[in-house]
C-alpha cells in the first residue's frame, strides 16, 4: 500500500528533520541568534562545551541573553523522576551535569537559569523567537540520547509560534531563577 501525504503535510516552515539531534547543524543555527537563545533541557553539558565559542559570540552583544530551563532537581520528587529517566546517573552527578550546562558561560546577567517544578516533555531551543529546534525525550534511555529533532521557522508557522510563546511564558512564570 502506497502512502501519500496531504499537501498540508509538507509545510513551508519545516526547515529540517534530523534522525538524531547530534546531526543538527548547531553552529549554523546558533549563528542566527542575535538577542535571545532559549534552551529547554534536562542537562546539556557536553553540548555546551561543543558550542561554547558560538555561545560566547552571542553573549558579546550586550543586549543578548541565553535562558536555560531545567526541571528543578532540588525537588526530591522531580529529582527521583529525572534519575528514572537517566538511570546511569547518580543524584550528585546529575546536578553537576546541570551546572556544567550553564557555568561555562560565566556568571553574568545575560545568562538566566530557570528551574521548573515538573518534568519536561520535550527539548526545545529557540533562536530569537524565530527558529525552533524541537526534540523528544526518550522514555527508555539506553547509553546515550539520540532523539530526533525538527527545525521549524516560526515566522512561517503562526500556530507553532503561538505554541512556543505559550510554553515559554509558562516556563518563565513557573520557573525559579
Amino acid at each position: 500500500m502506497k502512502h501519500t501525504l496531504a499537501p498540508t503535510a509538507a509545510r513551508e516552515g519545516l526547515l529540517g528533520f534530523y534522525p538524531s539531534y547530534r546531526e543538527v547543524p548547531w553552529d549554523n543555527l546558533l549563528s542566527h541568534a542575535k538577542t535571545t537563545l532559549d534552551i529547554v533541557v534536562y542537562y546539556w553539558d557536553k553540548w555546551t562545551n561543543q558550542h561554547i565559542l558560538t555561545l560566547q559570540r552571542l553573549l558579546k552583544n550586550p543586549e543578548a541573553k541565553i535562558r536555560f530551563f531545567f526541571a528543578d532537581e532540588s525537588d526530591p520528587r522531580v529529582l527521583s523522576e529525572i534519575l528514572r529517566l537517566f538511570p546511569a546517573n547518580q543524584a550528585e552527578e546529575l546536578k553537576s551535569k546541570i551546572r556544567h550546562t550553564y557555568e561555562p558561560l560565566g556568571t553574568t546577567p545575560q545568562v538566566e537559569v530557570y528551574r521548573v517544578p515538573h518534568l519536561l516533555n520535550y527539548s526545545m531551543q529557540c533562536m530569537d523567537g524565530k527558529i525552533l529546534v524541537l526534540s523528544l525525550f526518550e522514555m527508555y534511555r539506553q547509553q546515550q540520547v539520540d532523539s530526533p529533532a525538527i527545525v521549524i521557522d516560526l515566522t512561517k508557522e503562526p500556530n507553532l509560534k503561538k505554541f512556543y510563546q505559550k510554553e515559554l511564558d509558562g516556563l518563565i512564570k513557573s520557573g525559579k531563577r
Side-chain angles (χ1 to χ4, degrees), residues 12-66:
E12 183 182 358
L14 180 63
L15 298 177
F17 170 80
Y18 299 89
S20 169
Y21 80 94
R22 296 172 198 282
E23 297 175 30
V24 172
W26 287 109
D27 285 326
N28 181 322
L29 285 176
L30 293 170
S31 71
H32 287 83
K34 304 300 179 213
T35 57
T36 308
L37 173 60
D38 295 316
I39 299 174
V40 179
V41 291
Y42 281 108
Y43 62 85
W44 235 6
D45 55 329
K46 291 178 184 173
W47 181 90
T48 299
N49 287 331
Q50 289 172 341
H51 304 287
I52 191 73
L53 295 177
T54 305
L55 297 170
Q56 288 171 334
R57 267 191 298 259
L58 171 61
L59 293 175
K60 285 182 181 178
N61 172 359
E63 302 297 313
K65 68 174 133 184
I66 299 176

Side-chain angles (χ1 to χ4, degrees), residues 113-136:
V113 177
Y114 294 84
R115 287 180 167 75
V116 295
H118 51 74
L119 292 177
L120 306 171
N121 292 336
Y122 47 77
S123 170
M124 180 169 73
Q125 299 74 46
C126 192
M127 286 61 71
D128 291 341
K130 296 177 182 175
I131 298 177
L132 176 68
V133 180
L134 189 59
S135 186
L136 309 171

Side-chain angles (χ1 to χ4, degrees), residues 63-83:
E63 302 297 313
K65 68 174 133 184
I66 299 176
R67 296 183 289 206
F68 290 96
F69 299 90
F70 303 105
D72 187 356
E73 80 282 3
S74 70
D75 180 323
R77 292 173 300 136
V78 173
L79 177 61
S80 174
E81 283 299 305
I82 298 170
L83 290 170

